[in-house]
Short mmCIF file of all heavy atoms in Angstrom, two decimals:
data_model
loop_
_atom_site.label_atom_id
_atom_site.label_comp_id
_atom_site.label_asym_id
_atom_site.label_seq_id
_atom_site.Cartn_x
_atom_site.Cartn_y
_atom_site.Cartn_z
N ILE M 92 24.83 6.27 18.42
CA ILE M 92 24.73 5.31 17.32
C ILE M 92 23.26 5.13 16.92
O ILE M 92 22.37 5.35 17.73
CB ILE M 92 25.35 3.94 17.70
CG1 ILE M 92 24.61 3.32 18.90
CG2 ILE M 92 26.83 4.04 17.92
CD1 ILE M 92 25.03 1.89 19.19
N PRO M 93 23.04 4.69 15.66
CA PRO M 93 24.03 4.60 14.58
C PRO M 93 24.44 5.99 14.14
O PRO M 93 23.63 6.91 14.11
CB PRO M 93 23.29 3.86 13.46
CG PRO M 93 21.86 4.13 13.72
CD PRO M 93 21.70 4.25 15.20
N ASP M 94 25.69 6.13 13.80
CA ASP M 94 26.28 7.45 13.57
C ASP M 94 25.99 7.96 12.16
O ASP M 94 26.90 8.27 11.38
CB ASP M 94 27.78 7.38 13.82
CG ASP M 94 28.41 8.77 13.93
OD1 ASP M 94 27.64 9.74 14.06
OD2 ASP M 94 29.64 8.86 13.86
N ILE M 95 24.69 8.03 11.82
CA ILE M 95 24.28 8.57 10.52
C ILE M 95 23.34 9.76 10.69
O ILE M 95 22.83 10.29 9.71
CB ILE M 95 23.58 7.50 9.65
CG1 ILE M 95 22.38 6.91 10.39
CG2 ILE M 95 24.57 6.42 9.24
CD1 ILE M 95 21.53 5.99 9.55
N TYR M 96 23.12 10.17 11.92
CA TYR M 96 22.19 11.27 12.17
C TYR M 96 22.91 12.59 12.45
O TYR M 96 22.48 13.65 12.01
CB TYR M 96 21.25 10.91 13.33
CG TYR M 96 20.46 9.66 13.06
CD1 TYR M 96 20.66 8.51 13.82
CD2 TYR M 96 19.54 9.61 12.03
CE1 TYR M 96 19.95 7.35 13.56
CE2 TYR M 96 18.82 8.45 11.76
CZ TYR M 96 19.02 7.33 12.53
OH TYR M 96 18.33 6.17 12.26
N GLU M 97 24.01 12.53 13.16
CA GLU M 97 24.75 13.75 13.50
C GLU M 97 25.99 13.95 12.63
O GLU M 97 26.45 15.07 12.46
CB GLU M 97 25.16 13.71 14.97
CG GLU M 97 23.96 13.71 15.92
CD GLU M 97 24.39 13.71 17.38
OE1 GLU M 97 25.50 13.22 17.68
OE2 GLU M 97 23.62 14.20 18.20
N ASN M 98 26.51 12.87 12.08
CA ASN M 98 27.72 12.95 11.26
C ASN M 98 27.32 13.09 9.79
O ASN M 98 26.83 12.14 9.18
CB ASN M 98 28.57 11.70 11.48
CG ASN M 98 29.93 11.79 10.81
OD1 ASN M 98 30.02 12.14 9.64
ND2 ASN M 98 30.98 11.47 11.56
N ASP M 99 27.54 14.27 9.22
CA ASP M 99 27.13 14.53 7.84
C ASP M 99 27.83 13.62 6.83
O ASP M 99 27.23 13.17 5.86
CB ASP M 99 27.40 16.00 7.47
CG ASP M 99 26.45 16.96 8.17
OD1 ASP M 99 25.42 16.48 8.69
OD2 ASP M 99 26.73 18.17 8.19
N VAL M 100 29.12 13.38 7.05
CA VAL M 100 29.87 12.52 6.13
C VAL M 100 29.29 11.12 6.10
O VAL M 100 29.09 10.52 5.04
CB VAL M 100 31.37 12.49 6.53
CG1 VAL M 100 32.13 11.47 5.67
CG2 VAL M 100 31.98 13.88 6.38
N HIS M 101 29.00 10.59 7.28
CA HIS M 101 28.45 9.24 7.37
C HIS M 101 27.03 9.18 6.79
O HIS M 101 26.66 8.20 6.14
CB HIS M 101 28.44 8.77 8.82
CG HIS M 101 29.80 8.51 9.37
ND1 HIS M 101 30.04 8.26 10.71
CD2 HIS M 101 31.01 8.46 8.77
CE1 HIS M 101 31.32 8.07 10.90
NE2 HIS M 101 31.94 8.18 9.74
N GLN M 102 26.25 10.23 7.03
CA GLN M 102 24.89 10.24 6.50
C GLN M 102 24.91 10.25 4.98
O GLN M 102 24.16 9.51 4.33
CB GLN M 102 24.14 11.46 7.03
CG GLN M 102 22.66 11.48 6.65
CD GLN M 102 21.96 12.70 7.23
OE1 GLN M 102 21.52 13.56 6.48
NE2 GLN M 102 21.87 12.77 8.55
N LEU M 103 25.76 11.08 4.40
CA LEU M 103 25.88 11.12 2.95
C LEU M 103 26.38 9.80 2.38
O LEU M 103 25.93 9.35 1.33
CB LEU M 103 26.80 12.27 2.53
CG LEU M 103 26.24 13.68 2.70
CD1 LEU M 103 27.34 14.73 2.54
CD2 LEU M 103 25.11 13.93 1.69
N ALA M 104 27.30 9.16 3.10
CA ALA M 104 27.80 7.85 2.66
C ALA M 104 26.69 6.80 2.69
O ALA M 104 26.60 5.96 1.78
CB ALA M 104 28.96 7.41 3.56
N PHE M 105 25.86 6.85 3.71
CA PHE M 105 24.73 5.93 3.81
C PHE M 105 23.76 6.17 2.65
O PHE M 105 23.26 5.23 2.03
CB PHE M 105 24.02 6.14 5.15
CG PHE M 105 22.85 5.22 5.38
CD1 PHE M 105 22.99 3.84 5.29
CD2 PHE M 105 21.61 5.74 5.71
CE1 PHE M 105 21.91 3.00 5.51
CE2 PHE M 105 20.52 4.92 5.94
CZ PHE M 105 20.67 3.54 5.84
N GLY M 106 23.51 7.43 2.33
CA GLY M 106 22.64 7.75 1.20
C GLY M 106 23.21 7.26 -0.12
O GLY M 106 22.48 6.71 -0.96
N ARG M 107 24.52 7.45 -0.31
CA ARG M 107 25.16 6.96 -1.54
C ARG M 107 25.09 5.45 -1.63
O ARG M 107 24.89 4.89 -2.71
CB ARG M 107 26.62 7.43 -1.60
CG ARG M 107 26.79 8.92 -1.91
CD ARG M 107 28.24 9.24 -2.29
NE ARG M 107 29.15 8.96 -1.18
CZ ARG M 107 29.49 9.86 -0.26
NH1 ARG M 107 28.96 11.07 -0.28
NH2 ARG M 107 30.35 9.54 0.69
N PHE M 108 25.27 4.78 -0.48
CA PHE M 108 25.17 3.32 -0.45
C PHE M 108 23.78 2.86 -0.88
O PHE M 108 23.65 1.98 -1.74
CB PHE M 108 25.48 2.83 0.97
CG PHE M 108 25.17 1.37 1.19
CD1 PHE M 108 26.06 0.39 0.78
CD2 PHE M 108 23.98 0.97 1.79
CE1 PHE M 108 25.78 -0.96 0.97
CE2 PHE M 108 23.68 -0.36 1.99
CZ PHE M 108 24.58 -1.34 1.58
N LEU M 109 22.74 3.45 -0.30
CA LEU M 109 21.37 3.06 -0.65
C LEU M 109 21.09 3.29 -2.12
O LEU M 109 20.48 2.46 -2.79
CB LEU M 109 20.37 3.84 0.21
CG LEU M 109 20.36 3.53 1.71
CD1 LEU M 109 19.36 4.43 2.42
CD2 LEU M 109 20.03 2.07 1.98
N LYS M 110 21.55 4.42 -2.63
CA LYS M 110 21.31 4.75 -4.04
C LYS M 110 22.04 3.77 -4.96
O LYS M 110 21.46 3.29 -5.95
CB LYS M 110 21.78 6.18 -4.32
CG LYS M 110 21.41 6.67 -5.71
CD LYS M 110 21.74 8.15 -5.84
CE LYS M 110 21.26 8.72 -7.18
NZ LYS M 110 21.52 10.19 -7.26
N ALA M 111 23.29 3.46 -4.63
CA ALA M 111 24.06 2.54 -5.46
C ALA M 111 23.46 1.14 -5.44
O ALA M 111 23.38 0.47 -6.48
CB ALA M 111 25.52 2.49 -4.97
N VAL M 112 23.04 0.68 -4.27
CA VAL M 112 22.45 -0.65 -4.17
C VAL M 112 21.10 -0.70 -4.89
O VAL M 112 20.77 -1.68 -5.55
CB VAL M 112 22.29 -1.06 -2.69
CG1 VAL M 112 21.47 -2.33 -2.56
CG2 VAL M 112 23.65 -1.26 -2.05
N GLN M 113 20.34 0.37 -4.77
CA GLN M 113 19.05 0.43 -5.45
C GLN M 113 19.22 0.37 -6.97
O GLN M 113 18.43 -0.28 -7.67
CB GLN M 113 18.30 1.70 -5.07
CG GLN M 113 16.86 1.75 -5.59
CD GLN M 113 16.17 3.04 -5.21
OE1 GLN M 113 16.61 4.11 -5.62
NE2 GLN M 113 15.11 2.95 -4.44
N GLN M 114 20.26 0.99 -7.48
CA GLN M 114 20.48 1.04 -8.92
C GLN M 114 21.28 -0.14 -9.44
O GLN M 114 21.33 -0.36 -10.66
CB GLN M 114 21.20 2.34 -9.28
CG GLN M 114 20.39 3.60 -9.00
CD GLN M 114 21.15 4.88 -9.28
OE1 GLN M 114 22.38 4.86 -9.44
NE2 GLN M 114 20.44 6.00 -9.33
N ALA M 115 21.88 -0.92 -8.57
CA ALA M 115 22.72 -2.04 -8.99
C ALA M 115 21.89 -3.14 -9.64
O ALA M 115 20.73 -3.35 -9.31
CB ALA M 115 23.49 -2.59 -7.79
N SER M 116 22.52 -3.84 -10.56
CA SER M 116 21.86 -4.96 -11.22
C SER M 116 22.63 -6.27 -11.05
O SER M 116 22.13 -7.34 -11.41
CB SER M 116 21.68 -4.67 -12.71
OG SER M 116 22.95 -4.42 -13.33
N GLN M 117 23.84 -6.18 -10.50
CA GLN M 117 24.67 -7.38 -10.37
C GLN M 117 25.15 -7.55 -8.93
O GLN M 117 25.37 -6.57 -8.21
CB GLN M 117 25.88 -7.29 -11.31
CG GLN M 117 25.51 -7.23 -12.78
CD GLN M 117 26.74 -7.14 -13.67
OE1 GLN M 117 27.88 -7.15 -13.19
NE2 GLN M 117 26.52 -7.02 -14.97
N GLU M 118 25.35 -8.79 -8.56
CA GLU M 118 25.81 -9.13 -7.22
C GLU M 118 27.13 -8.45 -6.90
O GLU M 118 27.32 -7.91 -5.80
CB GLU M 118 25.96 -10.65 -7.12
CG GLU M 118 26.55 -11.14 -5.82
CD GLU M 118 26.82 -12.63 -5.85
OE1 GLU M 118 27.19 -13.15 -6.93
OE2 GLU M 118 26.67 -13.29 -4.81
N LYS M 119 28.05 -8.43 -7.85
CA LYS M 119 29.38 -7.85 -7.63
C LYS M 119 29.28 -6.39 -7.23
O LYS M 119 30.01 -5.92 -6.34
CB LYS M 119 30.22 -8.01 -8.90
CG LYS M 119 31.63 -7.44 -8.76
CD LYS M 119 32.41 -7.59 -10.06
CE LYS M 119 33.80 -6.97 -9.94
NZ LYS M 119 34.56 -7.08 -11.22
N GLN M 120 28.39 -5.65 -7.87
CA GLN M 120 28.23 -4.23 -7.57
C GLN M 120 27.77 -4.03 -6.12
O GLN M 120 28.26 -3.15 -5.42
CB GLN M 120 27.20 -3.61 -8.52
CG GLN M 120 27.62 -3.59 -9.98
CD GLN M 120 26.48 -3.17 -10.89
OE1 GLN M 120 25.41 -3.76 -10.87
NE2 GLN M 120 26.70 -2.13 -11.67
N ILE M 121 26.83 -4.86 -5.69
CA ILE M 121 26.29 -4.72 -4.33
C ILE M 121 27.36 -5.07 -3.30
O ILE M 121 27.51 -4.37 -2.30
CB ILE M 121 25.05 -5.61 -4.15
CG1 ILE M 121 24.01 -5.25 -5.20
CG2 ILE M 121 24.47 -5.45 -2.75
CD1 ILE M 121 22.89 -6.25 -5.31
N LEU M 122 28.11 -6.14 -3.56
CA LEU M 122 29.18 -6.52 -2.63
C LEU M 122 30.23 -5.42 -2.52
O LEU M 122 30.72 -5.13 -1.42
CB LEU M 122 29.82 -7.83 -3.10
CG LEU M 122 28.96 -9.09 -2.93
CD1 LEU M 122 29.62 -10.28 -3.61
CD2 LEU M 122 28.72 -9.39 -1.46
N GLU M 123 30.55 -4.79 -3.63
CA GLU M 123 31.52 -3.69 -3.60
C GLU M 123 31.02 -2.55 -2.73
O GLU M 123 31.79 -1.95 -1.96
CB GLU M 123 31.80 -3.20 -5.02
CG GLU M 123 32.64 -4.15 -5.85
CD GLU M 123 32.82 -3.68 -7.29
OE1 GLU M 123 32.16 -2.68 -7.67
OE2 GLU M 123 33.61 -4.31 -8.02
N GLU M 124 29.74 -2.25 -2.82
CA GLU M 124 29.17 -1.17 -2.00
C GLU M 124 29.16 -1.55 -0.53
O GLU M 124 29.38 -0.70 0.35
CB GLU M 124 27.76 -0.83 -2.49
CG GLU M 124 27.69 -0.24 -3.88
CD GLU M 124 28.51 1.02 -4.03
OE1 GLU M 124 28.60 1.80 -3.06
OE2 GLU M 124 29.08 1.23 -5.13
N ILE M 125 28.90 -2.82 -0.22
CA ILE M 125 28.93 -3.28 1.17
C ILE M 125 30.34 -3.13 1.74
O ILE M 125 30.52 -2.64 2.87
CB ILE M 125 28.45 -4.74 1.26
CG1 ILE M 125 26.94 -4.82 1.01
CG2 ILE M 125 28.80 -5.33 2.64
CD1 ILE M 125 26.40 -6.23 0.95
N TYR M 126 31.35 -3.53 0.96
CA TYR M 126 32.73 -3.41 1.43
C TYR M 126 33.12 -1.94 1.65
O TYR M 126 33.79 -1.60 2.62
CB TYR M 126 33.69 -4.07 0.43
CG TYR M 126 33.54 -5.57 0.32
CD1 TYR M 126 33.52 -6.20 -0.92
CD2 TYR M 126 33.38 -6.35 1.46
CE1 TYR M 126 33.37 -7.58 -1.02
CE2 TYR M 126 33.23 -7.73 1.37
CZ TYR M 126 33.22 -8.34 0.13
OH TYR M 126 33.06 -9.70 0.03
N LYS M 127 32.66 -1.07 0.75
CA LYS M 127 32.94 0.36 0.92
C LYS M 127 32.32 0.89 2.21
O LYS M 127 32.96 1.62 2.98
CB LYS M 127 32.36 1.15 -0.26
CG LYS M 127 33.11 1.07 -1.56
CD LYS M 127 32.40 1.98 -2.58
CE LYS M 127 32.91 1.73 -3.98
NZ LYS M 127 32.14 2.53 -4.97
N LEU M 128 31.05 0.51 2.43
CA LEU M 128 30.37 0.98 3.64
C LEU M 128 31.04 0.41 4.89
O LEU M 128 31.25 1.14 5.87
CB LEU M 128 28.90 0.55 3.60
CG LEU M 128 28.00 1.10 4.71
CD1 LEU M 128 27.81 2.60 4.54
CD2 LEU M 128 26.64 0.40 4.69
N ASP M 129 31.41 -0.85 4.86
CA ASP M 129 32.03 -1.49 6.02
C ASP M 129 33.38 -0.85 6.33
O ASP M 129 33.74 -0.66 7.49
CB ASP M 129 32.20 -2.99 5.74
CG ASP M 129 32.60 -3.78 6.98
OD1 ASP M 129 32.22 -3.36 8.10
OD2 ASP M 129 33.30 -4.79 6.84
N ASN M 130 34.12 -0.48 5.29
CA ASN M 130 35.45 0.12 5.47
C ASN M 130 35.39 1.52 6.08
O ASN M 130 36.40 2.02 6.56
CB ASN M 130 36.19 0.18 4.14
CG ASN M 130 36.70 -1.19 3.70
OD1 ASN M 130 36.89 -2.08 4.52
ND2 ASN M 130 36.89 -1.37 2.40
N MET M 131 34.21 2.14 6.06
CA MET M 131 34.08 3.45 6.69
C MET M 131 33.94 3.35 8.20
O MET M 131 34.07 4.35 8.91
CB MET M 131 32.88 4.20 6.11
CG MET M 131 33.07 4.64 4.67
SD MET M 131 31.85 5.88 4.18
CE MET M 131 32.38 7.29 5.17
N HIS M 132 33.66 2.13 8.70
CA HIS M 132 33.55 1.88 10.14
C HIS M 132 32.58 2.85 10.81
O HIS M 132 32.88 3.47 11.84
CB HIS M 132 34.92 1.98 10.82
CG HIS M 132 35.94 1.05 10.24
ND1 HIS M 132 35.85 -0.32 10.36
CD2 HIS M 132 37.05 1.29 9.49
CE1 HIS M 132 36.88 -0.90 9.73
NE2 HIS M 132 37.61 0.07 9.20
N ILE M 133 31.41 2.98 10.22
CA ILE M 133 30.38 3.85 10.79
C ILE M 133 29.80 3.18 12.02
O ILE M 133 29.20 2.10 11.93
CB ILE M 133 29.27 4.15 9.77
CG1 ILE M 133 29.88 4.86 8.55
CG2 ILE M 133 28.17 4.99 10.39
CD1 ILE M 133 28.90 5.10 7.42
N LYS M 134 30.00 3.78 13.15
CA LYS M 134 29.62 3.18 14.42
C LYS M 134 28.11 2.86 14.46
O LYS M 134 27.27 3.72 14.20
CB LYS M 134 29.96 4.15 15.56
CG LYS M 134 29.81 3.55 16.95
CD LYS M 134 30.25 4.57 18.00
CE LYS M 134 30.09 4.01 19.41
NZ LYS M 134 30.47 5.01 20.44
N GLY M 135 27.80 1.61 14.77
CA GLY M 135 26.41 1.20 14.94
C GLY M 135 25.68 0.86 13.66
O GLY M 135 24.50 0.48 13.70
N LEU M 136 26.33 1.00 12.51
CA LEU M 136 25.67 0.70 11.23
C LEU M 136 26.22 -0.62 10.70
O LEU M 136 27.23 -0.67 10.03
CB LEU M 136 25.92 1.82 10.21
CG LEU M 136 25.07 1.74 8.94
CD1 LEU M 136 23.60 1.97 9.27
CD2 LEU M 136 25.53 2.77 7.92
N GLY M 137 25.53 -1.71 11.04
CA GLY M 137 26.00 -3.03 10.67
C GLY M 137 25.09 -3.74 9.69
O GLY M 137 24.32 -3.11 8.96
N PRO M 138 25.14 -5.07 9.68
CA PRO M 138 24.42 -5.86 8.68
C PRO M 138 22.91 -5.87 8.84
O PRO M 138 22.22 -6.54 8.06
CB PRO M 138 25.00 -7.27 8.87
CG PRO M 138 25.53 -7.29 10.25
CD PRO M 138 26.01 -5.89 10.53
N ALA M 139 22.36 -5.14 9.81
CA ALA M 139 20.90 -4.99 9.84
C ALA M 139 20.41 -4.31 8.56
O ALA M 139 19.24 -4.44 8.17
CB ALA M 139 20.48 -4.17 11.06
#
Side-chain angles (χ1 to χ4, degrees):
I92 61 172
D94 194 13
I95 56 173
Y96 301 114
E97 296 181 334
N98 188 311
D99 288 345
V100 173
H101 290 170
Q102 186 179 114
L103 288 168
F105 181 54
R107 287 194 297 269
F108 169 81
L109 293 178
K110 187 173 186 177
V112 170
Q113 187 181 62
Q114 295 176 346
S116 59
Q117 298 180 2
E118 175 187 34
K119 180 181 178 182
Q120 295 171 304
I121 303 167
L122 288 172
E123 287 176 352
E124 294 302 326
I125 289 174
Y126 293 136
K127 284 182 192 176
L128 187 68
D129 191 30
N130 286 336
M131 290 196 69
H132 303 292
I133 300 175
K134 189 177 179 182
L136 191 67

